[in-house]
């Protein structure tokens, strides 16, 4: 087996495999090192992909339970085959892993299974699961080791009753109750999955809004929608501890009056964010530095203090998003190649795959106010959309923020059906500095969800809306 490479990528998540493929396309002799048997990292195995598979399954179930009768569809007694529900998710993951294996072979990328650790700036040791080790070297390295679930003081994850999203994706049986610590992206997506199939879900969030890093109006609207879906939401509450009782778990927290309260559920799911994974990488044998949050320090080229070592994705500063990692992986490959690619971090969209979906790109209203930037707002509800009414999808809105002088788009925030797909239009508009008037002057198919954006652009530009 070959031991000398031009570029070695450590980690095979979206950033790692995208980077390795691009390196190979550019003519570099490339290897990728993955500590687990399956390629794909968190996203493919226990994150984005399996979560979306379960979200899609539960969306179908919820539609059948709540909307089919309105459509005139009578299905009889509805039931959920929970083992099949989990099995289908696993099959989707397996298909994606198979696709990655094919891409590695197609692009002639050498795959090493084992735990990588730097011996120095040029060499790494790979320890296999059987205890054996080997040494390989490269001219350049790309660290793409990702992140792992974080927790808070007083809450120890035991993976039995106090679990993370990883365990929640493969529970042995459908629970009756679940308490989720954290109302961010992971928390609300997991709440959607389980509440839709009849689990009594409670979310405890430290901040005053759900999805607190996004535009505040999105969090307020999502709270209304979740309340209608019988999800209990406790905002501005401070979790103090969690205890595994054997058959259930008890969470102790302080309410808004600072009084101590308790809640007991079958499972306590901890969804308070993730932390960079750098343990055991042997960074101390290089010049690579980490910051106070454990993130690898890089410059604008994503280059570490060791000039031949780069880092991307969750292990560096910025949003922990699969597509952000992919962009960075390609960026580094092209940078090593002498090209001059660019990434506009403000234009990397954020998406929450609840239903309706939530999506955001650019500045939030809160950020514009804080920076003292003038802006106009164009907001249009899905309840006024002919397409949304036809689909019984009337919750949510599309909101556009634009510059009052020139009409340049500053931000787009959507909560509604297919928001994850609609947000791409905002990314394009802002990347190429298109104005709100330019965006509403183009033709939109009727009836479509995208027409809510046309109306929002019209309102933002001062033209007023045309009810659709």
């Amino acid at each position: 087996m070959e031991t000398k490479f031009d570029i070695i990528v450590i980690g095979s998540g979206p950033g790692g495999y995208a980077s390795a493929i691009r390196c190979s396309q550019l003519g570099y002799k490339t290897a990728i090192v993955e500590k687990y048997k399956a390629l794909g990292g968190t996203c493919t195995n226990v994150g984005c992909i399996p979560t979306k598979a379960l979200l899609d399954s539960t969306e179908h179930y919820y539609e059948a339970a709540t909307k089919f009768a309105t459509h005139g569809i009578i299905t009889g007694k509805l039931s959920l085959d929970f083992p099949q529900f989990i099995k289908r998710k696993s099959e989707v993951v397996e298909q994606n892993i198979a696709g990655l294996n094919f891409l590695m072979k197609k692009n002639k990328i050498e795959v090493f299974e084992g735990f990588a650790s730097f011996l120095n700036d040029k060499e790494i040791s790979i320890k296999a699961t059987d205890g054996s080790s080997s040494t390989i070297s490269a001219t350049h390295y790309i660290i793409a080791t990702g992140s792992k679930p974080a927790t808070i003081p007083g809450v120890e994850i035991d993976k039995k009753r106090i679990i993370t999203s990883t365990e929640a994706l493969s529970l042995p049986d459908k629970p009756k109750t679940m308490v989720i610590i954290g109302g961010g992206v992971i928390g609300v997506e997991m709440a959607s999955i389980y509440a839709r199939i009849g689990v009594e879900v409670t979310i405890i969030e430290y901040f005053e809004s759900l999805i607190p890093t996004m535009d505040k109006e999105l969090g307020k609207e999502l709270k209304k929608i979740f309340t209608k879906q019988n999800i209990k939401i406790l905002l501005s509450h401070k979790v103090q501890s969690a205890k595994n009782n054997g058959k259930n778990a008890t969470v102790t927290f302080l309410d808004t009056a600072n009084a101590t309260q308790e809640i007991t559920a079958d499972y306590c799911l901890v969804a308070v964010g993730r932390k960079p994974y750098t343990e055991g990488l042997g960074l101390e044998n290089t010049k690579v530095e980490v910051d106070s949050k454990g993130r690898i320090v890089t410059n604008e080229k994503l280059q570490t203090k060791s000039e031949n070592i780069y880092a991307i994705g969750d292990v560096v500063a910025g949003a922990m998003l699969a597509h952000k990692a992919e962009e960075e992986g390609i960026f580094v490959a092209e940078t090593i190649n002498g090209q001059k690619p660019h990434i506009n971090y403000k234009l990397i969209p954020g998406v929450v795959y609840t239903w309706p979906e939530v999506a955001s790109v650019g500045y939030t209203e809160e950020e514009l106010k804080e920076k003292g930037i003038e802006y106009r707002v164009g907001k249009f509800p899905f309840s006024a959309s002919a397409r949304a009414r036809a689909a019984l999808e009337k919750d949510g809105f599309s909101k556009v923020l634009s510059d009052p002088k020139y009409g340049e788009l500053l931000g787009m925030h959507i909560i509604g059906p297919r928001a994850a797909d609609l947000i791409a239009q905002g990314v394009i508009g802002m990347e190429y500095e298109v104005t709100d008037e330019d965006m509403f002057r183009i033709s939109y198919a009727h009836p479509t969800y995208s027409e809510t954006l046309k109306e929002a652009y019209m309102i933002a530009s001062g033209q007023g809306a045309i009810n659709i």
Side-chain angles (χ1 to χ4, degrees), residues 180-286:
I180 299 176
I181 302 174
V185 176
I186 296 173
V188 297
E189 288 187 354
M190 298 308 298
S192 286
I193 288 171
Y194 282 99
R196 289 175 187 165
I197 59 174
V199 177
E200 186 181 313
V201 176
T202 300
I203 297 174
I204 304 176
E205 169 55 46
Y206 177 82
F207 292 103
E208 60 184 13
S209 173
L210 292 177
I211 47 174
T213 60
M214 301 180 86
D215 190 277
K216 291 295 181 287
E217 279 200 277
L218 297 175
K220 290 178 182 177
E221 184 72 8
L222 185 61
K223 182 177 184 292
K224 292 177 186 176
I225 293 167
F226 268 14
T227 300
K228 289 192 292 184
Q229 294 176 1
N230 296 317
I231 298 173
K232 186 176 181 181
I233 299 163
L234 304 176
L235 301 176
S236 300
H237 284 57
K238 305 176 183 66
V239 171
Q240 302 298 295
S241 65
K243 179 184 177 184
N244 182 338
N245 303 318
K247 293 184 177 181
N248 53 39
T250 299
V251 177
T252 304
F253 58 93
L254 301 179
D255 62 19
T256 53
N258 227 31
T260 301
Q261 304 286 349
E262 286 187 348
I263 183 170
T264 298
D266 292 339
Y267 290 97
C268 166
L269 196 165
V270 183
V272 294
R274 299 178 66 84
K275 59 183 179 180
Y277 191 90
T278 58
E279 290 91 337
L281 276 179
L283 299 182
E284 66 277 8
N285 299 321
T286 70

Side-chain angles (χ1 to χ4, degrees), residues 14-298:
Y17 69 69
S19 186
I21 291 170
R22 188 64 182 129
C23 288
S24 179
Q25 289 173 343
L26 292 170
Y28 294 106
K29 188 177 183 181
T30 306
I32 195 165
V33 184
E34 173 54 56
K35 67 177 181 176
Y36 295 116
K37 288 185 178 296
L39 297 176
T42 294
C43 178
T44 300
N45 292 279
V46 292
C48 324
I49 305 305
T51 303
K52 303 316 164 280
L54 293 185
L55 282 162
D56 279 339
S57 293
T58 57
E59 182 187 332
H60 292 312
Y61 181 88
Y62 190 73
E63 289 267 312
T66 62
K67 294 183 179 179
F68 273 19
T70 304
H71 285 290
I73 304 170
I74 308 302
T75 59
K77 186 177 180 181
L78 186 68
S79 63
L80 178 72
D81 183 342
F82 193 79
Q84 173 59 27
F85 170 69
I86 297 297
K87 180 183 176 184
R88 189 196 85 89
K89 175 267 302 179
S90 299
E91 290 171 346
V92 171
V93 170
E94 288 168 5
Q95 291 165 12
N96 279 271
I97 292 170
L100 290 175
N101 290 333
F102 169 76
L103 287 172
M104 294 302 108
K105 291 178 181 178
K106 178 185 176 183
N107 290 281
K108 298 181 174 58
I109 298 167
E110 192 81 49
V111 177
F112 291 87
E113 182 187 327
F115 195 97
S117 179
F118 282 97
L119 299 173
N120 50 60
D121 289 346
K122 297 291 185 180
E123 296 177 306
I124 59 171
S125 171
I126 301 175
K127 187 174 183 179
T129 53
D130 62 6
S132 63
S133 63
S134 58
T135 299
I136 60 176
S137 62
T139 305
H140 299 282
Y141 287 90
I142 301 172
I143 301 173
T145 47
S147 60
K148 61 181 181 180
T151 188
I152 55 177
V155 178
E156 183 178 346
I157 297 167
D158 59 26
K159 300 184 179 182
K160 295 176 182 177
R161 289 294 167 181
I162 304 172
I163 62 175
T164 70
S165 57
T166 299
E167 293 75 44
L169 293 170
S170 300
L171 293 179
D173 300 291
K174 173 188 162 186
K176 292 182 179 179
T177 57
M178 179 179 288
V179 59
I180 299 176
I181 302 174
V185 176
I186 296 173
V188 297
E189 288 187 354
M190 298 308 298
S192 286
I193 288 171
Y194 282 99
R196 289 175 187 165
I197 59 174
V199 177
E200 186 181 313
V201 176
T202 300
I203 297 174
I204 304 176
E205 169 55 46
Y206 177 82
F207 292 103
E208 60 184 13
S209 173
L210 292 177
I211 47 174
T213 60
M214 301 180 86
D215 190 277
K216 291 295 181 287
E217 279 200 277
L218 297 175
K220 290 178 182 177
E221 184 72 8
L222 185 61
K223 182 177 184 292
K224 292 177 186 176
I225 293 167
F226 268 14
T227 300
K228 289 192 292 184
Q229 294 176 1
N230 296 317
I231 298 173
K232 186 176 181 181
I233 299 163
L234 304 176
L235 301 176
S236 300
H237 284 57
K238 305 176 183 66
V239 171
Q240 302 298 295
S241 65
K243 179 184 177 184
N244 182 338
N245 303 318
K247 293 184 177 181
N248 53 39
T250 299
V251 177
T252 304
F253 58 93
L254 301 179
D255 62 19
T256 53
N258 227 31
T260 301
Q261 304 286 349
E262 286 187 348
I263 183 170
T264 298
D266 292 339
Y267 290 97
C268 166
L269 196 165
V270 183
V272 294
R274 299 178 66 84
K275 59 183 179 180
Y277 191 90
T278 58
E279 290 91 337
L281 276 179
L283 299 182
E284 66 277 8
N285 299 321
T286 70
K287 296 176 185 176
V288 177
E289 296 179 356
V290 297
D291 65 15
S292 59
K293 295 182 178 180
R295 301 172 301 192
I296 292 177
V297 177
T298 63

